[in-house]
Each structure stands twice: as C-alpha cells, then as structure tokens.
Amino acid sequence: MSRISHLEGPQGHHEIDRVGPVILLGVPGAGKGTQAKRISAHYQIPHISTGDMFRAFVRAETTRGRQFWEYMQRGELVPDKIVCEIVAERVLQRDCQRGFILDGFPRTVTQTEWLIKFLAKHHLTGGGGVVVLYLAVGYNSLFERLSGRLSCPSCGRSYHRTTQPPKHDNVCDFDGATLIQRGDDSPEVIRERLTTYEQQTLPLVEYFRTHGRFYQIDGTEPADVVTERIYNALDACRGTAA
Ligand code: AMP
C-alpha cells in the first residue's frame, strides 16, 4: 500500500484521488481555456471558468448579465465581491470535492486572499494547498492569438483561425455549431484587457511563485506539448502536500 493511500480528507475522500485545486494563470490568450478543458476531461474534475460563467449570464439577457457585459466590453474586471460570491457558490457543489480547475480566477490580490481563506475554511485543499500552473507567453504573440480566436457558443471549445483551425470552416468539430469571435476579442478591448492583466493579475504570478506548488510552463509550445507538461506536473503532486 502506498504511504499516502490511506489518508482521507474531512469529507472522507482519499487524498490520492485529489487533483488540485488547480489554478491556471496566464495572460488572456495564453491557452488557459483549451488546457483547462483537457485537464477537466483527463482527471474528471470540473472546469470552472469565471469568464464562461459571465458569458452565460450575458446570453441569458438578465439585468445581471447586462451589468457583466458592461465590464467585459470595456476590458475591465467585474468587481471582486460579485466574482467571489459566484465562485463560492460553484466550488461548494458536491462535484468539486475531489478537486477542480479554476480558469480566469483569481485575477486580483483581493480574490486571491479570499480564495485561500475560503478553501481552508471549507477544507477544499485536503491540506495540500493549491497547485498553480502558469502558462507563460510573451506579449508579442498575444495579439495574433486573441484576434484569431474563435469559440463555440454551444460547448465553449476554442479554436484559432491559423494555429488550431476547426476541421470545417467556422464549424465546431464537436457539436457542429457555428463558431463565433468573442465580442471582447476586438483590437481595442484586447488592448484594455492586457493592461488590466498587467496591473491587476500579473502580480499574482510572483505571489504564487513563492507560495505553494507552482509550475511555470512555456505556453508558446504546441498545445499537446503544453498538455503533456501539465499532466506531468499534476501527476507529480497528486496526493502530496505543499
Ligand atoms: P476570460 O474569458 O477569462 O478572458 O474573461 C472575460 C471577462 O470576464 C474578463 O475580461 C472580465 O471582464 C470578466 N472576468 C472573468 N473572470 C474574472 C475575474 N476573476 N474577476 C473579474 N472579472 C472577471
């Protein structure tokens, strides 16, 4: 029997089964969404994308959705309090007990401090702390990555006109829906989003580098290479404490 196979978390889950919680950090366009979907399918843990959640509110055309869209189309962040409430509700659901992957959250120091306390309070880390994967991508390629990006409005899968095209023009390989360009992937909003990232999110990279299990992965490598490196990192820390 392995040294740790008998350990159980407060909810009775075997710690050897736990994955993360995983935080994916990286500038918009670094490939977080693509990688998060793969990790989610491979390890059978939920993919929690705050951006996807906000876009679902926008599609539902609720008052809240309209408010979110205002922030998103300016390339600004939705206020911390609202984002944290939405994340709290999601990660307390039962399917998150074995672990989950956060994509696009946290994005500010306030969100980070809240998250660390919240996970500890609800025993959601199994004592091991979070696993942070930083997809590092130079700024030069980002404009091209973001402006060529296409996504499926139905399943959320991401494509790129030149680097990761669908099998048939503008059609999702998975469910056949017509692909769209995100409203906030226009040149003006991209510029704002990158500025927002630099000012509010980039400092988190240095914070996590010195706190807990941190892996920097070259996000400019082909997507399959990045995925393999991520799996190696996650397999290496399964069931291990920080
Ligand atoms: P994303 O799909 O992650 O690029 O997010 C799209 C937009 O949703 C961002 O530009 C923000 O306006 C908003 N958003 C997503 N996640 C967060 C977050 N953690 N905090 C604040 N705003 C967010």
Side-chain angles (χ1 to χ4, degrees), residues 50-52 54-55 71-72 75-78 83 104-107 111 182 184 193:
T50 42
D52 285 351
F54 292 137
R55 280 183 286 276
Y71 290 107
M72 292 165 88
E76 292 173 9
L77 296 182
V78 173
V83 191
F105 183 92
R107 255 176 156 104
Q111 291 177 15
R182 273 172 48 169
D184 58 349
R193 287 164 65 205

PDB file of all heavy atoms in Angstrom, residues 50-52 54-55 71-72 75-78 83 104-107 111 182 184 193, ligand 1:
ATOM      1  N   THR A  50     -14.596  31.596 -14.792  1.00  0.00           N
ATOM      2  CA  THR A  50     -15.459  32.737 -14.438  1.00  0.00           C
ATOM      3  C   THR A  50     -15.899  33.477 -15.699  1.00  0.00           C
ATOM      4  O   THR A  50     -17.040  33.919 -15.793  1.00  0.00           O
ATOM      5  CB  THR A  50     -14.728  33.679 -13.452  1.00  0.00           C
ATOM      6  OG1 THR A  50     -13.367  33.829 -13.872  1.00  0.00           O
ATOM      7  CG2 THR A  50     -14.787  33.152 -12.047  1.00  0.00           C
ATOM      8  N   GLY A  51     -15.020  33.566 -16.708  1.00  0.00           N
ATOM      9  CA  GLY A  51     -15.394  34.223 -17.967  1.00  0.00           C
ATOM     10  C   GLY A  51     -16.585  33.502 -18.610  1.00  0.00           C
ATOM     11  O   GLY A  51     -17.550  34.136 -19.047  1.00  0.00           O
ATOM     12  N   ASP A  52     -16.538  32.159 -18.649  1.00  0.00           N
ATOM     13  CA  ASP A  52     -17.655  31.386 -19.223  1.00  0.00           C
ATOM     14  C   ASP A  52     -18.929  31.618 -18.418  1.00  0.00           C
ATOM     15  O   ASP A  52     -20.025  31.701 -18.978  1.00  0.00           O
ATOM     16  CB  ASP A  52     -17.344  29.882 -19.224  1.00  0.00           C
ATOM     17  CG  ASP A  52     -16.348  29.486 -20.317  1.00  0.00           C
ATOM     18  OD1 ASP A  52     -16.039  30.339 -21.172  1.00  0.00           O
ATOM     19  OD2 ASP A  52     -15.880  28.331 -20.291  1.00  0.00           O
ATOM     20  N   PHE A  54     -19.736  34.293 -16.712  1.00  0.00           N
ATOM     21  CA  PHE A  54     -20.269  35.632 -17.028  1.00  0.00           C
ATOM     22  C   PHE A  54     -20.920  35.649 -18.408  1.00  0.00           C
ATOM     23  O   PHE A  54     -21.970  36.248 -18.596  1.00  0.00           O
ATOM     24  CB  PHE A  54     -19.152  36.692 -16.957  1.00  0.00           C
ATOM     25  CG  PHE A  54     -18.650  36.913 -15.562  1.00  0.00           C
ATOM     26  CD1 PHE A  54     -17.295  37.040 -15.314  1.00  0.00           C
ATOM     27  CD2 PHE A  54     -19.531  37.005 -14.501  1.00  0.00           C
ATOM     28  CE1 PHE A  54     -16.822  37.237 -14.013  1.00  0.00           C
ATOM     29  CE2 PHE A  54     -19.076  37.197 -13.201  1.00  0.00           C
ATOM     30  CZ  PHE A  54     -17.718  37.313 -12.966  1.00  0.00           C
ATOM     31  N   ARG A  55     -20.302  34.952 -19.372  1.00  0.00           N
ATOM     32  CA  ARG A  55     -20.890  34.923 -20.721  1.00  0.00           C
ATOM     33  C   ARG A  55     -22.243  34.210 -20.703  1.00  0.00           C
ATOM     34  O   ARG A  55     -23.160  34.590 -21.440  1.00  0.00           O
ATOM     35  CB  ARG A  55     -19.919  34.264 -21.723  1.00  0.00           C
ATOM     36  CG  ARG A  55     -18.824  35.217 -22.184  1.00  0.00           C
ATOM     37  CD  ARG A  55     -17.910  34.597 -23.235  1.00  0.00           C
ATOM     38  NE  ARG A  55     -17.007  33.626 -22.653  1.00  0.00           N
ATOM     39  CZ  ARG A  55     -15.850  33.945 -22.073  1.00  0.00           C
ATOM     40  NH1 ARG A  55     -15.441  35.185 -22.012  1.00  0.00           N
ATOM     41  NH2 ARG A  55     -15.084  33.005 -21.546  1.00  0.00           N
ATOM     42  N   TYR A  71     -18.818  45.570 -18.084  1.00  0.00           N
ATOM     43  CA  TYR A  71     -17.410  45.443 -17.667  1.00  0.00           C
ATOM     44  C   TYR A  71     -16.601  44.743 -18.754  1.00  0.00           C
ATOM     45  O   TYR A  71     -15.512  45.173 -19.117  1.00  0.00           O
ATOM     46  CB  TYR A  71     -17.297  44.621 -16.377  1.00  0.00           C
ATOM     47  CG  TYR A  71     -17.831  45.319 -15.160  1.00  0.00           C
ATOM     48  CD1 TYR A  71     -19.034  44.925 -14.589  1.00  0.00           C
ATOM     49  CD2 TYR A  71     -17.135  46.369 -14.573  1.00  0.00           C
ATOM     50  CE1 TYR A  71     -19.543  45.566 -13.470  1.00  0.00           C
ATOM     51  CE2 TYR A  71     -17.625  47.016 -13.454  1.00  0.00           C
ATOM     52  CZ  TYR A  71     -18.833  46.610 -12.905  1.00  0.00           C
ATOM     53  OH  TYR A  71     -19.321  47.239 -11.797  1.00  0.00           O
ATOM     54  N   MET A  72     -17.152  43.635 -19.260  1.00  0.00           N
ATOM     55  CA  MET A  72     -16.393  42.805 -20.201  1.00  0.00           C
ATOM     56  C   MET A  72     -16.065  43.567 -21.480  1.00  0.00           C
ATOM     57  O   MET A  72     -14.954  43.483 -21.988  1.00  0.00           O
ATOM     58  CB  MET A  72     -17.181  41.530 -20.521  1.00  0.00           C
ATOM     59  CG  MET A  72     -17.288  40.620 -19.317  1.00  0.00           C
ATOM     60  SD  MET A  72     -18.524  39.350 -19.509  1.00  0.00           S
ATOM     61  CE  MET A  72     -17.610  38.077 -20.290  1.00  0.00           C
ATOM     62  N   GLY A  75     -13.192  45.729 -21.196  1.00  0.00           N
ATOM     63  CA  GLY A  75     -11.926  45.070 -20.871  1.00  0.00           C
ATOM     64  C   GLY A  75     -11.576  45.219 -19.401  1.00  0.00           C
ATOM     65  O   GLY A  75     -10.437  45.040 -18.997  1.00  0.00           O
ATOM     66  N   GLU A  76     -12.605  45.558 -18.587  1.00  0.00           N
ATOM     67  CA  GLU A  76     -12.373  45.737 -17.140  1.00  0.00           C
ATOM     68  C   GLU A  76     -12.808  44.489 -16.382  1.00  0.00           C
ATOM     69  O   GLU A  76     -13.554  43.664 -16.900  1.00  0.00           O
ATOM     70  CB  GLU A  76     -13.209  46.919 -16.633  1.00  0.00           C
ATOM     71  CG  GLU A  76     -12.738  48.245 -17.174  1.00  0.00           C
ATOM     72  CD  GLU A  76     -13.690  49.375 -16.799  1.00  0.00           C
ATOM     73  OE1 GLU A  76     -14.617  49.153 -15.990  1.00  0.00           O
ATOM     74  OE2 GLU A  76     -13.516  50.466 -17.351  1.00  0.00           O
ATOM     75  N   LEU A  77     -12.397  44.425 -15.136  1.00  0.00           N
ATOM     76  CA  LEU A  77     -12.782  43.285 -14.314  1.00  0.00           C
ATOM     77  C   LEU A  77     -14.126  43.535 -13.629  1.00  0.00           C
ATOM     78  O   LEU A  77     -14.437  44.664 -13.233  1.00  0.00           O
ATOM     79  CB  LEU A  77     -11.724  43.016 -13.244  1.00  0.00           C
ATOM     80  CG  LEU A  77     -10.346  42.602 -13.756  1.00  0.00           C
ATOM     81  CD1 LEU A  77      -9.419  42.312 -12.582  1.00  0.00           C
ATOM     82  CD2 LEU A  77     -10.440  41.387 -14.673  1.00  0.00           C
ATOM     83  N   VAL A  78     -14.889  42.468 -13.483  1.00  0.00           N
ATOM     84  CA  VAL A  78     -16.120  42.516 -12.698  1.00  0.00           C
ATOM     85  C   VAL A  78     -15.683  42.681 -11.226  1.00  0.00           C
ATOM     86  O   VAL A  78     -14.650  42.126 -10.831  1.00  0.00           O
ATOM     87  CB  VAL A  78     -16.903  41.189 -12.921  1.00  0.00           C
ATOM     88  CG1 VAL A  78     -18.105  41.080 -12.010  1.00  0.00           C
ATOM     89  CG2 VAL A  78     -17.303  41.046 -14.390  1.00  0.00           C
ATOM     90  N   VAL A  83     -17.614  38.432  -8.075  1.00  0.00           N
ATOM     91  CA  VAL A  83     -16.914  37.258  -8.611  1.00  0.00           C
ATOM     92  C   VAL A  83     -16.733  36.217  -7.503  1.00  0.00           C
ATOM     93  O   VAL A  83     -16.982  35.020  -7.710  1.00  0.00           O
ATOM     94  CB  VAL A  83     -15.516  37.631  -9.175  1.00  0.00           C
ATOM     95  CG1 VAL A  83     -14.936  36.480  -9.962  1.00  0.00           C
ATOM     96  CG2 VAL A  83     -15.577  38.860 -10.040  1.00  0.00           C
ATOM     97  N   GLY A 104      -9.168  31.610 -15.060  1.00  0.00           N
ATOM     98  CA  GLY A 104      -9.572  33.031 -15.064  1.00  0.00           C
ATOM     99  C   GLY A 104      -9.904  33.553 -13.680  1.00  0.00           C
ATOM    100  O   GLY A 104     -10.390  34.674 -13.547  1.00  0.00           O
ATOM    101  N   PHE A 105      -9.651  32.761 -12.674  1.00  0.00           N
ATOM    102  CA  PHE A 105      -9.859  33.173 -11.285  1.00  0.00           C
ATOM    103  C   PHE A 105      -8.777  32.515 -10.445  1.00  0.00           C
ATOM    104  O   PHE A 105      -8.522  31.326 -10.654  1.00  0.00           O
ATOM    105  CB  PHE A 105     -11.239  32.728 -10.797  1.00  0.00           C
ATOM    106  CG  PHE A 105     -11.529  33.184  -9.389  1.00  0.00           C
ATOM    107  CD1 PHE A 105     -12.184  34.382  -9.159  1.00  0.00           C
ATOM    108  CD2 PHE A 105     -11.122  32.416  -8.298  1.00  0.00           C
ATOM    109  CE1 PHE A 105     -12.431  34.820  -7.865  1.00  0.00           C
ATOM    110  CE2 PHE A 105     -11.361  32.858  -7.003  1.00  0.00           C
ATOM    111  CZ  PHE A 105     -12.022  34.051  -6.794  1.00  0.00           C
ATOM    112  N   PRO A 106      -8.147  33.194  -9.496  1.00  0.00           N
ATOM    113  CA  PRO A 106      -8.298  34.604  -9.162  1.00  0.00           C
ATOM    114  C   PRO A 106      -7.578  35.508 -10.166  1.00  0.00           C
ATOM    115  O   PRO A 106      -6.657  35.081 -10.854  1.00  0.00           O
ATOM    116  CB  PRO A 106      -7.637  34.694  -7.784  1.00  0.00           C
ATOM    117  CG  PRO A 106      -6.601  33.612  -7.793  1.00  0.00           C
ATOM    118  CD  PRO A 106      -7.150  32.520  -8.637  1.00  0.00           C
ATOM    119  N   ARG A 107      -7.995  36.774 -10.184  1.00  0.00           N
ATOM    120  CA  ARG A 107      -7.396  37.745 -11.104  1.00  0.00           C
ATOM    121  C   ARG A 107      -6.908  38.984 -10.371  1.00  0.00           C
ATOM    122  O   ARG A 107      -6.335  39.875 -11.015  1.00  0.00           O
ATOM    123  CB  ARG A 107      -8.449  38.176 -12.115  1.00  0.00           C
ATOM    124  CG  ARG A 107      -8.285  37.578 -13.505  1.00  0.00           C
ATOM    125  CD  ARG A 107      -9.458  38.038 -14.320  1.00  0.00           C
ATOM    126  NE  ARG A 107      -9.279  38.069 -15.719  1.00  0.00           N
ATOM    127  CZ  ARG A 107      -9.779  37.175 -16.580  1.00  0.00           C
ATOM    128  NH1 ARG A 107     -10.404  36.123 -16.134  1.00  0.00           N
ATOM    129  NH2 ARG A 107      -9.637  37.349 -17.863  1.00  0.00           N
ATOM    130  N   GLN A 111      -9.052  38.804  -4.667  1.00  0.00           N
ATOM    131  CA  GLN A 111      -9.650  37.497  -4.972  1.00  0.00           C
ATOM    132  C   GLN A 111      -8.760  36.363  -4.463  1.00  0.00           C
ATOM    133  O   GLN A 111      -9.241  35.341  -3.969  1.00  0.00           O
ATOM    134  CB  GLN A 111      -9.847  37.339  -6.489  1.00  0.00           C
ATOM    135  CG  GLN A 111     -10.917  38.244  -7.069  1.00  0.00           C
ATOM    136  CD  GLN A 111     -11.042  38.135  -8.582  1.00  0.00           C
ATOM    137  OE1 GLN A 111     -10.534  37.210  -9.215  1.00  0.00           O
ATOM    138  NE2 GLN A 111     -11.729  39.097  -9.190  1.00  0.00           N
ATOM    139  N   ARG A 182     -15.351  36.132 -29.996  1.00  0.00           N
ATOM    140  CA  ARG A 182     -15.837  36.779 -28.777  1.00  0.00           C
ATOM    141  C   ARG A 182     -15.893  38.288 -28.959  1.00  0.00           C
ATOM    142  O   ARG A 182     -14.994  38.876 -29.547  1.00  0.00           O
ATOM    143  CB  ARG A 182     -14.900  36.452 -27.608  1.00  0.00           C
ATOM    144  CG  ARG A 182     -15.256  35.161 -26.920  1.00  0.00           C
ATOM    145  CD  ARG A 182     -14.231  34.761 -25.917  1.00  0.00           C
ATOM    146  NE  ARG A 182     -13.817  35.820 -24.994  1.00  0.00           N
ATOM    147  CZ  ARG A 182     -13.080  35.602 -23.922  1.00  0.00           C
ATOM    148  NH1 ARG A 182     -12.692  34.381 -23.628  1.00  0.00           N
ATOM    149  NH2 ARG A 182     -12.727  36.593 -23.142  1.00  0.00           N
ATOM    150  N   ASP A 184     -15.280  40.548 -26.936  1.00  0.00           N
ATOM    151  CA  ASP A 184     -14.170  41.279 -26.301  1.00  0.00           C
ATOM    152  C   ASP A 184     -12.821  40.902 -26.907  1.00  0.00           C
ATOM    153  O   ASP A 184     -11.782  41.258 -26.376  1.00  0.00           O
ATOM    154  CB  ASP A 184     -14.175  41.092 -24.774  1.00  0.00           C
ATOM    155  CG  ASP A 184     -14.096  39.644 -24.335  1.00  0.00           C
ATOM    156  OD1 ASP A 184     -14.248  38.750 -25.196  1.00  0.00           O
ATOM    157  OD2 ASP A 184     -13.884  39.402 -23.138  1.00  0.00           O
ATOM    158  N   ARG A 193      -7.743  44.760 -22.052  1.00  0.00           N
ATOM    159  CA  ARG A 193      -7.645  43.537 -21.239  1.00  0.00           C
ATOM    160  C   ARG A 193      -6.196  43.240 -20.866  1.00  0.00           C
ATOM    161  O   ARG A 193      -5.907  42.788 -19.765  1.00  0.00           O
ATOM    162  CB  ARG A 193      -8.255  42.355 -21.995  1.00  0.00           C
ATOM    163  CG  ARG A 193      -9.769  42.445 -22.040  1.00  0.00           C
ATOM    164  CD  ARG A 193     -10.361  41.534 -23.093  1.00  0.00           C
ATOM    165  NE  ARG A 193     -10.132  40.138 -22.804  1.00  0.00           N
ATOM    166  CZ  ARG A 193     -10.096  39.188 -23.736  1.00  0.00           C
ATOM    167  NH1 ARG A 193     -10.262  39.492 -25.000  1.00  0.00           N
ATOM    168  NH2 ARG A 193      -9.911  37.938 -23.388  1.00  0.00           N
TER     169      ARG A 193
HETATM  170  P1  AMP B   1     -11.999  35.472 -19.720  1.00  0.00           P
HETATM  171  O1  AMP B   1     -12.925  34.617 -20.523  1.00  0.00           O
HETATM  172  O2  AMP B   1     -11.384  34.722 -18.572  1.00  0.00           O
HETATM  173  O3  AMP B   1     -10.980  36.179 -20.563  1.00  0.00           O
HETATM  174  O4  AMP B   1     -12.912  36.614 -19.035  1.00  0.00           O
HETATM  175  C1  AMP B   1     -13.657  37.517 -19.823  1.00  0.00           C
HETATM  176  C2  AMP B   1     -14.024  38.731 -18.979  1.00  0.00           C
HETATM  177  O5  AMP B   1     -14.840  38.326 -17.868  1.00  0.00           O
HETATM  178  C3  AMP B   1     -12.855  39.460 -18.360  1.00  0.00           C
HETATM  179  O6  AMP B   1     -12.252  40.391 -19.267  1.00  0.00           O
HETATM  180  C4  AMP B   1     -13.549  40.178 -17.200  1.00  0.00           C
HETATM  181  O7  AMP B   1     -14.308  41.288 -17.621  1.00  0.00           O
HETATM  182  C5  AMP B   1     -14.529  39.103 -16.720  1.00  0.00           C
HETATM  183  N1  AMP B   1     -13.895  38.220 -15.705  1.00  0.00           N
HETATM  184  C6  AMP B   1     -13.597  36.893 -15.859  1.00  0.00           C
HETATM  185  N2  AMP B   1     -13.023  36.402 -14.751  1.00  0.00           N
HETATM  186  C7  AMP B   1     -12.939  37.431 -13.871  1.00  0.00           C
HETATM  187  C8  AMP B   1     -12.416  37.573 -12.556  1.00  0.00           C
HETATM  188  N3  AMP B   1     -11.838  36.544 -11.910  1.00  0.00           N
HETATM  189  N4  AMP B   1     -12.521  38.789 -11.964  1.00  0.00           N
HETATM  190  C9  AMP B   1     -13.100  39.826 -12.574  1.00  0.00           C
HETATM  191  N5  AMP B   1     -13.592  39.773 -13.827  1.00  0.00           N
HETATM  192  C10 AMP B   1     -13.517  38.585 -14.485  1.00  0.00           C
END
